[in-house]
Amino acid sequence: MADDIPFEREDAAIPGRVEQLSPLIRRVLCDNPGPFTYRGTVTYIVGTGRVAIIDPGPDDPAHVRAVLEAVKGEQVEAILVTHTHRDHSPATPAVKAATGAPVYAEGPHRAARPLNLGETNALDASGDRDFVPDVAVQDGAIVAGTGWTLEAVFTPGHTANHMAFALAEEETLFSGDHVMAWSTSIVAPPDGSMGDYMASLDKLRGRDERIFWPGHGGPVREPAKFMRALSHHRRLREASILKRIEAGDRLIPDIVAAIYEGLDPRLKGAAGLSVFAHLEDLLAKGLVATDGAPTLSGAFRPG
């Protein structure tokens, strides 16, 4: 089903190497490739001389050294974090200690909703629960430095505290893990919410940035077209899940087996969480029903 999205998976970034992307933007790729991180987490540097760093990355000393080497001789005026998964924020304390720059983010890691009775958080290990920003920024807040202006754009869905940042001077959006050119974003309850994700996608579709730079992979060069495809893909996935429910499937593993053909076994758990996110959204819309609070192992039926 993902064939309906115009993915772009060619990217020449080399781990540890500083790459100039535009007059105001550089990036450094962390060497942490994987099924959820693609070729690794991208740390961005915005500005020249007096700069901002976006998403310092995981707790990886080699990556921290590469980022600090990239800004050697410059003053770091701000550190911004899109969200608190462990591939994006744990390097923040080391970068802050070395630069003295204040840290801006929406807030600490939190779930999109409380845990249901008997439910465990399937992605608990992925959350950076030690992270606390110096400055909690709200939607529309401006973080400005010498020659650059970043607007906070609240985009919950992938996580409850996900914040994109728009660079006014270049009509560019740092989209974190909300919109990526190489893959769809994982939306996994209780950390994530499909309803929030779709609302945030619609919000970004109403903006006019010309290019997105995501937390993994290369740029989204036609964001309006790409986000239309993302939205269409999610609606098709929702329709497929509803059809399986109407056909008699009641459990998430059965739905995953029916609608995810040729799935990488490493992504089976993520697919189950994605289906769960859709089912929570469908439950809120009254299109499916369940006995008690929805859980990963619970049964669903037509609403």
Side-chain angles (χ1 to χ4, degrees):
M1 181 182 289
D3 291 343
D4 57 332
I5 305 174
F7 289 125
E8 295 182 25
R9 296 192 170 102
E10 294 300 320
D11 188 38
I14 297 174
R17 180 178 296 180
V18 184
E19 182 181 2
Q20 190 80 41
L21 303 174
S22 73
L24 285 178
I25 302 171
R26 289 166 278 171
R27 70 175 172 180
V28 182
L29 177 67
C30 182
D31 191 15
N32 63 328
F36 301 110
T37 57
Y38 194 40
R39 294 179 179 174
T41 302
V42 181
T43 296
Y44 293 99
I45 301 164
V46 179
T48 303
R50 301 171 72 88
V51 305
I53 293 174
I54 299 177
D55 280 353
D59 183 11
D60 182 320
H63 182 63
V64 171
R65 286 194 298 271
V67 170
L68 294 176
E69 182 65 25
V71 297
K72 188 175 181 179
E74 299 180 293
Q75 181 175 338
V76 179
E77 296 183 310
I79 300 167
L80 300 95
V81 174
T82 62
H83 65 293
T84 48
H85 278 157
R86 289 189 175 276
D87 53 330
H88 287 263
S89 58
T92 301
V95 174
K96 177 184 176 180
T99 64
V103 178
Y104 298 81
E106 192 274 344
H109 191 82
R110 65 181 187 278
R113 59 157 175 78
L115 292 177
N116 293 320
L117 184 64
E119 181 185 22
T120 58
N121 188 343
L123 291 181
D124 190 63
S126 69
D128 179 8
R129 300 186 182 279
D130 296 326
F131 178 87
V132 179
D134 296 312
V135 182
V137 294
Q138 296 183 342
D139 186 45
I142 300 297
V143 182
T146 305
W148 50 266
T149 309
L150 289 163
E151 175 193 354
V153 184
F154 189 39
T155 47
H158 176 65
T159 60
N161 66 354
H162 196 284
M163 189 74 77
F165 295 97
L167 178 62
E169 288 80 2
E170 293 193 354
E171 299 178 276
T172 294
L173 185 85
F174 297 97
S175 57
D177 282 8
H178 186 68
V179 178
M180 301 178 289
W182 74 281
S183 178
T184 57
S185 179
I186 294 172
V187 181
D191 280 10
S193 162
M194 188 60 69
D196 288 348
Y197 176 84
M198 295 302 292
S200 295
L201 197 58
D202 287 343
K203 178 179 182 176
L204 291 189
R205 289 175 66 185
R207 297 181 62 90
D208 56 6
E209 279 80 24
R210 297 180 297 105
I211 188 170
F212 288 5
W213 287 103
H216 307 276
V220 180
R221 298 189 183 278
E222 296 183 84
K225 176 182 177 182
F226 191 82
M227 286 188 291
R228 282 196 301 271
L230 280 180
S231 183
H232 180 64
H233 167 79
R234 293 290 185 182
R235 296 306 180 200
L236 288 177
R237 182 70 73 199
E238 179 183 90
S240 296
I241 292 169
L242 273 175
K243 286 182 180 178
R244 296 313 311 167
I245 294 287
E246 291 165 357
D249 288 344
R250 295 291 178 262
L251 302 177
I252 288 175
D254 297 331
I255 297 172
V256 169
I259 67 175
Y260 285 88
E261 297 181 4
L263 180 67
D264 183 334
R266 296 175 299 174
L267 300 178
K268 185 176 180 180
L273 287 165
S274 180
V275 169
F276 186 30
H278 275 291
L279 286 167
E280 283 196 334
D281 193 33
L282 290 167
L283 184 65
K285 296 173 181 176
L287 297 175
V288 301
T290 186
D291 294 325
T295 64
L296 262 174
S297 58
F300 295 83
R301 61 181 186 275

